[in-house]
Amino acid sequence: MTKRLTWTVPALLACALLTGCSSMEKKTAEVRDSAQMREGAQRTSSQVLDMIALKGKVTDGPPLPLPCEGYEPEGKVERMDHPWSIYDLPYEELEQAYDRMRTTLPAKGWKVTQDGPDGSAARTPTLRADAPDGDYAVELQLMDNRKHPTAKTKALIAVTVVSRCFQPA
């Protein structure tokens, strides 16, 4: 070990143990009732569906808990994740609804945090926003599968509503 490393390792360890270096600190999450968070995710999904304002087919499934990383107590913090989609409509209608959401969400008090293509090779249009209460966020993706002959659905808007991380009561 070089002299520099000999001093660096103990210094980092002391920083972590004595002062709580910010890069090593774990966050804490509020204690919340899981059933209420699940209902909130479902309610938020319904509000988003109303804002999309289309009458296509909608996938059905309940919000499910997923673990949140980087929180104390480790392994006991989760979030509600509610993925669903609207499909069986012409691509042009889905595209218009997706474009409307760019103005509808902010008009309803949502804060848009991303609007543009995602990092995939397909450069899928992605819109992310935080709810006015800060407890939920939504991600919408406009999926265009028209050129894929094996795709079951030719176009859809994939939606995921996610709650903030919480510790179940």
Side-chain angles (χ1 to χ4, degrees):
M1 237 194 237
T2 66
K3 283 188 177 188
R4 183 179 219 167
L5 235 91
T6 304
W7 288 102
T8 304
V9 173
L12 288 173
L13 188 56
C15 177
L17 295 175
L18 300 175
T19 63
C21 296
S22 62
S23 64
M24 296 181 158
E25 285 182 19
K26 294 216 177 205
K27 302 175 273 187
T28 58
E30 292 179 39
V31 175
R32 301 268 181 110
D33 181 71
S34 291
Q36 288 179 347
M37 295 301 285
R38 185 176 291 108
E39 290 167 10
Q42 185 69 51
R43 187 174 45 256
T44 303
S45 285
S46 293
Q47 292 168 354
V48 170
L49 181 58
D50 289 345
M51 285 187 259
I52 291 174
L54 290 175
K55 300 293 182 204
K57 291 183 181 175
V58 178
T59 56
D60 191 21
L64 299 171
L66 291 177
C68 285
E69 300 295 324
Y71 284 86
E72 287 291 342
E74 196 166 319
K76 304 232 187 245
V77 177
E78 59 189 35
R79 68 181 191 269
M80 285 296 160
D81 191 75
H82 191 212
W84 54 275
S85 59
I86 185 164
Y87 64 100
D88 203 26
L89 291 163
Y91 178 80
E92 293 73 23
E93 285 184 45
L94 292 165
E95 185 177 40
Q96 289 170 359
Y98 178 86
D99 287 341
R100 268 194 319 273
M101 293 299 283
R102 289 186 165 109
T103 56
T104 303
L105 286 165
K108 301 274 185 182
W110 290 67
K111 181 183 177 203
V112 174
T113 59
Q114 179 187 340
D115 183 5
D118 68 4
S120 71
R123 299 188 43 83
T124 303
T126 302
L127 181 63
R128 292 185 181 137
D130 295 333
D133 65 7
D135 283 342
Y136 298 91
V138 66
E139 177 182 89
L140 296 102
Q141 292 188 301
L142 180 61
M143 311 295 276
D144 183 2
N145 298 325
R146 294 176 293 173
K147 294 179 183 174
H148 301 283
T150 59
K152 292 180 183 178
T153 303
K154 295 302 177 190
L156 59 90
I157 296 176
V159 180
T160 304
V161 171
V162 180
S163 77
R164 72 170 45 202
C165 293
F166 66 96
Q167 186 176 351

